[in-house]
Amino acid sequence: MNRQLKLLEYALAGLTRRKGKNVALLLVYAFTIAALGSVLFLTDALRSEARQTLDHAPEMVVQRISAGRHELIPRSYATTIAQLPGVRQATPRVWGYYYDALVRANFTLMGVTEPETQIKDLQGQLPAADNECAVGIGIADIFGATIGDSLVLVDAHGKNRVFAISGIFSAHSALLTHDLILMPEPALRAFFNLDPTVATDIAVSIANPREITTLAKKVRYHLPDTRPISRSEILHTYDSIFNWRSGMMFAVSVAALIAFCILAWDKATGISADEKREIGILKAVGWNTGDVMAIKFWEGLILSLSAFLIGTIAAWLHVFVLGAPALTPILKGWSVLFPPFSLQPVTDPYQILVLAFLTIAPYLACTLIPAWKTAVTAPEQAMRS
Amino acid sequence: MILHPGILALLGGSLLSVLLLIKASGLGLTILLRWDGTSSSEQQLALEHKTWLISSLLNAGLGFQIVSGVLFLATVEAIHPLFVGAMCATGTLNANLVGWLVLLVKGLLFFAAALWVIFNRLDQRSEDAPLLRPKYLALLLITPLAFLDLTLQYSFFSGLHPDIITSCCGSLFSEQGQSVLSELAALPPVTAMALFFPVIAIYYVLTLCCLRSQNALLRYLLFITVIVAFFIALAAIISFISLYLYQMPSHHCPFDLLQAHYNYIGYPLYAGLFGGTLFGLLPGLAAPLQHHPSLSAHIDQLDRHWLWISLIGMTVFLAIALWPMLFAPFTLLRSG
Amino acid sequence: MLLKTEHLSKIYNRGRPDELTALNAVSLEVHTGEAIALCGPSGSGKTTLLSLLACMSRPTSGQVWFDGKSISRLPERFLAALRRDHFGYIFQQFNLIRDLSVIDNISIPLLPGTLSPQQIRKRGMSVLEQLDLADKAKQKACQLSGGEQQRVAIARALIGNPQVIIADEPTAHLDHSLTNDLLNILSALHAGGATLLIATHDPAIYHHPLIQRTITLHNGSLADLLAP
Amino acid sequence: MWRARLYLTATLCGILTLTALLMTGQQPNDSADKQQLVAAFGLTDLALFSEARYTRHPSQADLFTAFQDSPGAIDHFPSGSLVVPIPGSRTRSITVLKGER
C-alpha cells in the first residue's frame, strides 16, 4: 500500500516532467472518450425516454396488411375485435403523413375524436371545428406561427385548405409531438379523401396485460389479414433500435479509439535516450524490473483514469446541458424537424462501466508491452551514458 | 447478433486478452524449452526478462477477467428487455444454450488466472524458482480456456436474436420459445438449507483447525470442503438466499441481486463467496509444495494470510446472506 | 570477508563478430572496512568489474560472493534488493534526474522499499544535513553547481546506509578543491565503517592516505598477476 | 507526497462530480404529463426522425421494404447514409397565413 503510494508519487513526478507531451495525450484521449460517452448517454437517454413515455401507449395496435404492405383497415374490424372477450375497447385511428416541399419536412397528421380532453402539455385548445388544428412546437417554430395564426395545407384534391391553429404543444413534449398536426377526425378524412368506412389502424385497449399475446392470436385467427403489434413489442423495438444506433456509432467511434491506442503505443515504445538513462539510474540504485513496470502501470492508469473522468463529465455536459450539438447533425440526417433534446439526464451506471471498460482497457493493454521493453533496461546503462 | 456497446466491449476485450495470452504462452513456451537456471548467458538473461512480461500479462488478464465477469452479467441483464418472457438476466442466458456455458468458463478462468497469479508470486519469492515449469505448463492450459471463452461468448451473442417487430406476422413471434424459462429450477429451500448450513459449519471448523495446526491432511480436507461449499452456496443463493434478499417468495434470479434496485448487494455477496473460496483452496494446493526447501518458509507465512482472508470472505458472504433471514419481516418457513 | 570474486569473466556480445572480453578471470577479495582504489587506463574493465561487484550485472563465468553468499546466479529481483540494501553507487556523471528536486532525487533508492514516505524524508534530510545540502533540498538538480551535484549523488548513495560504497571515477568532472572536499567526505565515511571501492586514474585519490590498497587492471586482467 | 495527495484528491473530486451528475438523472421523473399525452392520443412512437415512415413510426412500419412510401425515403441499412435523398420536385409557396390580429 505504502509502496504503491510512493510509486504513484514518482509516476506523477515523471508525468509532470514531460508535461507538454502528456497533456496533449490526455486531451486527445479525453476527447475520444467524450465522443464515445456522448453517443452512449444520448442513446441511453432516448431509450429510457421511450420506455417511460410509451409505457402508456395502447396495449395493442392492429394494422391491416395487404400484399405485404400496410393498408387501410375497415372500421368493421374494430367491432369484431371489440367483441373478443378481454378487449376493453377498440378504437379506429386515422393518421397519415404530409410532406411539405417548402420546408422539406414530413409532418404527421392525426385525427382526434374527443376534443374535450384536457392535455397538460398543450397550450390553447384541441381543435373542435373542422378548420382548426393543434400543432407541435416544431411546426409552429418552422413557420413562425402562434395560436390564432392559420396553416395552409394542400389536400388530396390539390386544393389549399386553411386551418386555424387552436393550440400548440409545449416544448416539454417535443420528443412526442414535434411534427404532429392534430385535427378533428372528419376534417382529416376530408383532407386525405378517406372513405368513412376505413381507418389507418385500430388501437386496442386490453384490461389484463397477460392476455395480450392470446388476444393477438385471436385477432389473427379471426382477421387473418391483420398484423397485431403489442406495446411490449414497441418497447423492445425501441430498445433494439437504440442499441443498434449506438452500436453503429460506437463501431465508428471505436476506430478513433484504435487510432488513439496506436498513438499511445507509439508514444510508449519510442522512449527517448533521456528516459532510457532515467530507467538505468532507477535500476542501478536498486529498483527491479517489477518496480519500473509498476510506475509505468501507474502512469498509464493516471492518464487513462483522468482522461476518463474528464471525458465522461464533458460528455454528460455536452448531451444533457448543451443538447448534444455535435451529435445531432449525425443523427438528424435530412430531417428538418429535429426535436431539440431536452432529455432527462438518465444514465445507467452500467453505461459508465461499459465506457470505462472500452476506453481504459485497450490503453492499458497497449502500454503493457512497451512498458516492459522500457523496464528491462539494464542497470549498467546508467554507467555507460 | 445484437450491436450493443456492452457486447462490443466484451468481445473486443476478450479478443485483446486472448491476443495477450497467446503472446504470454509463446514466451512461456520459449522459457520451458530454453530455461537453464545455472547459465548466465545473455539468452538466459533475456528469458528472465520475459518472465516479467508474462507475469504482468497474466496480472492484466486476471484483472480483465474480474471486470469482464461483472460486465458480462451486467450486459446480460441490460439486454433482457429485448427478449419476450425474460424477466431478468436468467432469461437472456436461457435464450440460447451457450449462455450458462460462458458463465461457467468465465468462472473457471477467474479461478485459473487468480491461482496462477498467486502461485507465480509465491514462486518469485524464492531464489531458485522451483515452480517454473509447472507454472508455464499451466499457462499453456489457461490460454486455450481464454480462447474458448472468446468463441463461446461470440457464439452466445451472435446467437441472440432480439424479438423485434420484423415482419407482417406481428406479435406472433412472441410465443414462448422452447428454451425460454423465466425462473431457474431451484432446490426446495428446506433441502438447500439442510445442505448449506452443515457444510458452512464444517468449513468454519476446518479453517479454525488449520489456523491452529500445520497438518497437511486438514488442508486437503479444507480444499475439498471449500469446493463443495462453493457449489452448495451457489445453489443456496438460488434456492433460498435470494428469496430472503428480495423479500419475495418466488423470485429465484441470482443476478438481480447485482442491480441498483437491490443496492448492488450481490457484489459484496459474490465477492465474499468467490474470495473466500479462492483463498480457501490455496492452503490445500500449497501443502504438497512444502517439500521445496526454498518455498516452505514462505508457504508457512502465507498459509495463515490465506486462511484469514478466506475466513473474512466467507464471513462477509454469510453475514449478507443471513442478515435478512434474521432481521427482515419476510419468512419463508413457518416455525412450528 | 565482504566481497570475493573467483575467476570472474565478462564477455559482451558473445558469439558475435563484435565480441568483447571486458574481464578475464579476475579473482580478488575485499574485506569489511577496507578502502581500495581500482586503477587502470580507460577500457581496462574497471567499470565492468564494479558493475559485477555492485550486483548490476551477472558474470559470463566465475563467481561473486557477497557476505559469504554466491550472488552470481541470483534472479534479478534479489540482485536489485542487494543493490538497494547494501551498496551505494556514485556514478561518473553524477546521474541525477535533472528535473527532480534534490530531496526527491536522493529518495529514489528507498521508494520501492518498505519505509514510509515520512521516514524516507527524514532520512533524506539527515543525509543532506550531513553533506551540508539541507538548504538546497527543494531545488531542482539541474540548478545546482557541479560540486553540489556531486554531493547530491553521494547523498543518494548514502541514503540506504550501505555497507559498501562504490565510486566510478568520482573526480573526473571536479576541480582540485572539489576533489579534496570529496576525499574528506569519503574519509569520514570510511571512518564510520564503510567499505570503499573507488575506480580512478586520478593520482590525487590513489595517493591519498585514505586508500589502503590499490588494485590495477589491465586489459581485463589483474595487472599485479601479470607483471611482478 | 504532495503530488500523490493532490492527484488522489482531484480524482476523488472527479468521481464525486460524476456520481453527482449521474444521481441527478435518477430524480423522480416529470414524464407524467407526457404519459397522459401518449394515453390520450394513443401515440406509439417518438417524433425523432420525421423523414420517413419507418423512422417516424418504427414500430408501425414494415422494416424490410427497401424504398418506403414517404418522399425521398431511403433504406435503413447503412448504405442509406451514403445516398443522398431525391430532391423534392414538387414546389409550393404559401404555407402560413398570419392571423388577423
Side-chain angles (χ1 to χ4, degrees), chain C residues 130-150:
Chain C
Q130 201 182 324
L131 292 171
D132 216 10
L133 276 170
D135 53 329
K136 304 267 198 252
K138 297 243 154 108
Q139 281 191 25
K140 282 192 177 174
C142 57
Q143 294 166 341
L144 301 177
S145 69
E148 284 165 340
Q149 290 196 18
Q150 175 68 290

Side-chain angles (χ1 to χ4, degrees), chain A residues 345-369:
Chain A
V346 179
T347 30
D348 194 344
Y350 166 71
Q351 303 289 339
I352 303 288
L353 178 69
V354 169
L355 189 61
F357 188 84
L358 262 175
T359 52
I360 296 179
Y363 181 79
L364 290 183
C366 272
T367 47
L368 260 178
I369 294 176

Side-chain angles (χ1 to χ4, degrees), chain A residues 40 47 51 60 65 68 212-213 216-217 220 226-230 232-237 239-248 250-251 254 283 288-291 293 348-351 353-354 357-358 361-362 365-366 368-369 372 376-378, chain B residues 2-10 12-14 16 20 23 27 46 49-54 56-57 60 64 67-68 70-71 74-76 78-85 162-175 260 264 267:
Chain A
L40 268 188
R47 182 169 35 228
R51 222 183 266 166
M60 188 160 74
I65 298 290
I212 295 176
T213 325
K217 277 184 203 159
R220 281 276 291 171
T226 55
R227 174 197 191 212
I229 299 165
S230 72
S232 63
E233 284 165 349
I234 294 177
L235 297 180
H236 289 164
T237 306
D239 262 350
S240 305
I241 281 179
F242 290 119
N243 280 339
W244 185 82
R245 266 181 200 278
S246 68
M248 193 61 208
F250 233 84
V254 161
K283 299 206 56 189
N288 63 35
T289 307
D291 300 325
M293 287 181 82
D348 194 344
Y350 166 71
Q351 303 289 339
L353 178 69
V354 169
F357 188 84
L358 262 175
C366 272
L368 260 178
I369 294 176
W372 168 76
V376 293
T377 305
Chain B
I2 306 169
L3 206 54
H4 185 277
I7 295 177
L8 289 180
L10 275 169
S14 292
L16 200 64
L20 291 180
K23 169 92 182 159
L27 296 174
H49 284 158
K50 284 181 180 147
T51 61
W52 284 107
L53 181 58
I54 296 176
S56 114
L57 288 174
F64 167 78
V67 181
S68 107
V70 173
L71 190 65
T75 302
V76 163
I79 60 176
H80 88 257
L82 298 179
F83 304 96
V84 172
D163 300 327
I164 51 167
I165 304 161
T166 45
S167 68
C168 54
C169 309
S171 57
L172 289 192
F173 69 80
S174 318
E175 285 179 83
Y264 303 109
Y267 287 102

Side-chain angles (χ1 to χ4, degrees), chain A residues 130 172-173 196 199 351:
Chain A
D130 271 2
H172 174 240
S173 66
Q351 303 289 339

